[in-house]
Amino acid sequence: MLQYILTHQAEFMVLLRQHVILTCSAIGLATSIGIPLAILASRIPFLERPVLLLGNLGQTIPSLVILALCIPFLGIGFAPSLAALFLRAILPILMNTFTGIKNVEHGIIEAARGMGMTENQILWKVQIPLTVPVMIAGLRTAVVQAVSLATLAAFAGGGSLGDLIQQGIMMVDQERLMTGAVSTAALALLADFIIGLLQQWLTPQGLKISA
Amino acid sequence: MIRLENVTKQFGVVKAVDQVNLHITPGEFLVLIGPSGCGKTTTMKMINRLIDPSAGRILIKGKDISAEDPIQLRRQIGYAIQEIGLLPHMTIADNIALVPRLLKWPKKKQRQRVEELLEMVGLDAATFMHKYPRQLSGGQRQRVGVARALAVDPPIMLMDEPFGALDPITREQMQDEFIKLQEQVKKTIVFVTHDMDEALKFADRVAIMNHGKIIQCDSPEMILRRPANKFVRDFVGSDHTLKQLSLIKVKEAMITDIDTLHPDNTIAQAKELFKRGSSNIVVVAKTGEAIGYINREDLNKTPEDRFVSEITVNSISTVASDKTLKDALTVMLKNDAGYIAVSDENRKPVGLITSSRLRQIVSEPRLNSREEQ
Ligand SMILES: Nc1ncnc2c1ncn2[C@@H]1O[C@H](COP(=O)(O)OP(=O)(O)OP(=O)(O)O)[C@@H](O)[C@H]1O
Ligand SMILES: [Mg+2]
């Protein structure tokens, strides 16, 4: 495997870079749209049901189906892959943020309101800080899913470590297959580790103490 | 200070609060009590506009609060609920300084206030300031909750079962401290509880609610002595005699016409006292403390040139004059004593409590006969 990487260094690096770029853009997009959307939805009562429904429905559709559905609209290449990854990643981020905000203990909010905090202050100073751990748990799921889903981008011609797996299967090339599979797994573990650090760093101190 | 006029709150078909009228005067401690679901919390939350009434109006200092900005209103009313209300992601200092921060007090003033309040509720500021709520015990959190409600020194405090989640011992301790605190800060307080003993301990007036209505609103004594109806009587419970004793301070009920003798007085001097009609004689030491009493039979059997010390029965229990009659009764029962001496803060005897006096008090038909004596 190492042998393979060394001999095909240039090609491997291209695929790795594509894989990382694809994943990162999808996550970046999903986070920057998912979190504000969740916050908005939590503030507008009539959005609650549709959001929950969409979230649950979305989570049940297999990833490959999402990808397949994107191709007719976006053609082949980077765009449909990004769209599929984005759709997959936004769900856990959106849902976790939304339910996190909604599930902050009612007594805490009532107390904050009783103290004279405005609804905005309650959102930003109480609900969101208390939701951070749940939010990041959602991000974690999203990232790990996106890293593995990015391998399917090979089918859409998006280019990723998935190419190695696909080629490996078609050419019955164990070495190539293993390289693609193992490096994707390693990437997922690395991403998980980084998010773990992020979680440590972002979680408010007072919430790290087990109650 | 706070006036509720025909206030009604309807949740769908449920009338949570039904035509309530209440007038709470400045500095008054009003306790709302009643069975679960009777509308206590709803009544209280209408005062800081967490809930708006369906009908009727509420005035604070003469102003209709429905015309006021709820945010400003709430910042002027202390609000303490069960420990759940502390924000877990903020330090104790930040929790207490919540409203000062909203009001943009200077940092230094906020910090001083936090330290002052922590000391006031009996927590060491240096130790607790930088801790988080989850690092505190239930009792400590409750103290922080009270401190937070007092932060900007609001004239009005609303407290919804603030000691509800505590074990009985901590609870009683917190109650005693809270009474002392209230003597210092003298707030107008609306306090919700389930616990009649707690109500009687704190209240200037108790408002007993049922099904959204106020059934009786009266001083604790009147509630105990003249329950408005069967509901109140049942709610107060069958041990109301004992409860009544807990309302009366020893110094209000003690027999004050006592005479004292020293151990080195002569029997003749003692007899002289009895002849003058004194019936309550306490023997006191040179230091002024009560040490015992003498019996009349012993006195008559003893030659006049002997000393009081020879016939003194050296056992007398004492109770401090600022305790309640319930405490006095406890001392009497524990020591199997028919009477006990009452001592002032210098441990000097200032009166007596006898079992017949206790019987007389609980059977007094009229409320104020005690004061009229
Ligand atoms: N937001 C609400 N929506 C609908 N019904 C409510 C609401 N809040 C309270 N109620 C109902 O109003 C009634 C009074 O409730 P409230 O909370 O004031 O009672 P409480 O006296 O404080 O009871 P507890 O001692 O159990 O705290 C209850 O029947 C309750 O179910
Ligand atoms: Mg209640």
Side-chain angles (χ1 to χ4, degrees):
Chain A
M1 199 182 104
L2 265 181
Q3 189 67 44
Y4 181 90
I5 295 176
L6 288 175
T7 49
H8 300 76
Q9 209 173 3
E11 184 203 357
F12 178 80
M13 287 318 282
V14 169
L15 291 179
L16 179 66
R17 224 184 69 215
Q18 281 177 329
H19 199 116
V20 171
I21 289 175
L22 188 59
T23 311
C24 288
S25 351
I27 291 295
L29 220 56
T31 310
S32 52
I33 296 179
I35 290 179
L37 199 63
I39 292 173
L40 203 68
S42 72
R43 305 279 279 161
I44 303 171
F46 67 81
L47 279 182
E48 178 164 351
R49 284 184 149 275
V51 165
L52 280 175
L53 197 72
L54 207 74
N56 289 328
L57 205 73
Q59 230 118 18
T60 57
I61 302 174
S63 305
L64 196 54
V65 173
I66 296 181
L67 184 64
L69 288 174
C70 287
I71 295 174
F73 298 102
L74 296 168
I76 289 277
F78 183 75
S81 307
L82 179 64
L85 254 66
F86 165 75
L87 287 177
R88 178 87 306 173
I90 196 172
L91 288 177
I93 295 173
L94 180 85
M95 292 301 285
N96 274 37
T97 307
F98 180 79
T99 50
I101 292 176
K102 281 283 172 187
N103 289 343
V104 170
E105 219 165 331
H106 186 68
I108 292 182
I109 295 178
E110 186 112 85
R113 192 173 290 137
M115 304 263 100
M117 289 179 105
T118 63
E119 294 307 305
N120 272 330
Q121 287 166 335
I122 293 174
L123 178 69
W124 292 106
K125 293 186 179 163
V126 181
Q127 287 176 295
I128 290 182
L130 290 179
T131 303
V132 166
V134 193
M135 223 186 266
I136 295 183
L139 183 65
R140 206 167 187 159
T141 314
V143 168
V144 173
Q145 276 186 4
V147 171
S148 48
L149 180 57
T151 56
L152 292 181
F155 291 103
S160 70
L161 293 170
D163 285 8
L164 293 177
I165 299 174
Q166 204 186 19
Q167 289 162 13
I169 293 171
M170 291 196 303
M171 300 159 72
V172 203
D173 182 343
Q174 285 264 6
E175 187 85 20
R176 204 177 277 232
L177 179 72
M178 282 302 284
T179 306
V182 172
S183 46
T184 305
L187 204 57
L189 286 172
L190 181 70
D192 190 58
F193 176 73
I194 292 172
I195 305 277
L197 290 182
L198 194 69
Q199 185 160 26
Q200 269 299 312
W201 181 55
L202 285 180
T203 300
Q205 199 58 36
L207 298 184
K208 289 185 194 161
I209 305 144
S210 51
Chain B
M1 189 77 163
I2 308 171
R3 190 187 284 276
L4 279 72
E5 293 177 349
N6 292 317
V7 171
T8 296
K9 178 68 198 184
Q10 191 131 9
F11 291 112
V13 290
V14 184
K15 260 194 185 159
V17 175
D18 190 1
Q19 294 274 327
V20 161
N21 284 289
L22 256 181
H23 181 206
I24 304 155
T25 55
E28 184 174 29
F29 199 130
L30 180 99
V31 174
L32 288 172
I33 193 168
S36 189
C38 69
K40 309 179 289 291
T41 298
T42 308
T43 304
M44 204 187 77
K45 283 183 183 167
M46 285 192 284
I47 298 173
N48 66 359
R49 294 200 57 191
L50 284 175
I51 298 177
D52 281 323
S54 319
R57 55 178 203 155
I58 298 173
L59 307 168
I60 292 181
K61 292 181 190 151
K63 277 195 287 187
D64 188 339
I65 60 167
S66 67
E68 275 179 58
D69 173 21
I71 303 296
Q72 294 308 322
L73 180 78
R74 289 175 198 147
R75 288 180 188 173
Q76 293 156 29
I77 298 178
Y79 186 54
I81 55 177
Q82 286 191 11
E83 55 164 279
I84 192 176
L86 293 185
L87 303 176
H89 60 297
M90 290 186 189
T91 61
I92 298 308
D94 287 344
N95 264 287
I96 294 176
L98 195 71
V99 183
R101 213 163 47 239
L102 295 177
L103 296 175
K104 302 204 166 57
W105 283 16
K107 277 264 155 4
K108 199 163 160 234
K109 191 175 163 200
Q110 286 185 22
R111 197 192 150 90
Q112 277 171 356
R113 185 64 180 153
V114 167
E115 286 171 359
E116 189 180 306
L117 284 163
L118 279 172
E119 300 298 340
M120 203 190 259
V121 296
L123 293 175
D124 179 51
T127 314
F128 286 95
M129 220 152 68
H130 303 295
K131 291 204 169 177
Y132 288 95
R134 288 182 187 167
Q135 294 169 308
L136 269 54
S137 72
Q140 291 165 342
R141 270 182 265 185
Q142 215 69 278
R143 285 163 206 261
V144 175
V146 171
R148 186 174 67 172
L150 285 166
V152 294
D153 205 13
I156 298 172
M157 299 261 281
L158 304 178
M159 311 183 84
D160 197 347
E161 304 196 42
F163 310 134
L166 299 177
D167 63 273
I169 294 171
T170 316
R171 191 182 167 103
E172 192 153 334
Q173 190 189 345
M174 295 272 317
Q175 289 169 344
D176 291 342
E177 288 174 19
F178 186 63
I179 290 177
K180 290 209 185 85
L181 191 63
Q182 162 66 354
E183 279 164 8
Q184 285 175 46
V185 295
K186 270 290 162 212
K187 303 287 178 197
T188 305
I189 299 179
V190 180
F191 189 103
V192 168
T193 181
H194 269 108
D195 177 356
M196 197 63 190
D197 291 312
E198 188 169 76
L200 297 175
K201 206 163 177 175
F202 288 144
D204 293 316
R205 274 190 308 156
V206 182
I208 300 189
M209 294 186 71
N210 195 24
H211 298 307
K213 283 189 170 29
I214 292 185
I215 308 297
Q216 184 173 8
C217 181
D218 245 325
S219 68
E221 262 189 292
M222 283 297 266
I223 297 270
L224 291 174
R225 284 171 184 261
R226 295 214 197 134
N229 57 23
K230 184 167 179 316
F231 173 77
V232 176
R233 203 158 40 241
D234 290 348
F235 194 78
V236 167
S238 50
D239 59 340
H240 66 276
T241 308
L242 267 181
K243 286 189 172 128
Q244 219 168 304
L245 289 181
S246 70
L247 287 181
I248 302 171
K249 287 265 177 357
V250 166
K251 61 174 165 239
E252 298 167 20
M254 65 190 181
I255 299 165
T256 49
D257 56 338
I258 58 164
D259 289 296
T260 55
L261 280 171
H262 290 292
D264 54 3
N265 285 133
T266 59
I267 297 296
Q269 284 170 311
K271 280 190 173 162
E272 184 58 30
L273 270 180
F274 271 110
K275 246 180 252 158
R276 275 198 270 126
S278 175
S279 54
N280 305 302
I281 296 175
V282 181
V283 182
V284 297
K286 278 270 154 23
T287 54
E289 272 170 60
I291 50 173
Y293 58 93
I294 52 177
N295 287 320
R296 186 171 279 215
E297 300 89 78
D298 292 338
L299 192 67
N300 291 336
K301 279 188 285 186
T302 314
E304 299 211 339
D305 58 345
R306 307 300 281 269
F307 298 101
V308 167
S309 59
E310 291 169 47
I311 59 164
T312 301
V313 181
N314 278 314
S315 76
I316 188 160
S317 308
T318 56
V319 64
S321 62
D322 58 353
K323 293 283 178 163
T324 67
L325 285 186
K326 193 172 161 193
D327 300 321
L329 180 65
T330 308
V331 173
M332 287 166 78
L333 290 176
K334 206 152 64 188
N335 297 298
D336 195 17
Y339 62 90
I340 55 173
V342 180
S343 59
D344 64 8
E345 52 269 37
N346 304 319
R347 311 192 41 131
K348 288 220 173 79
V350 289
L352 279 180
I353 294 285
T354 64
S355 52
S356 60
R357 180 77 188 125
L358 286 181
R359 260 196 306 280
Q360 187 190 349
I361 284 164
V362 296
S363 60
E364 257 167 29
R366 282 189 33 245
L367 186 68
N368 293 322
S369 52
R370 202 173 71 236
E371 279 96 53
E372 282 161 16
Q373 279 190 342

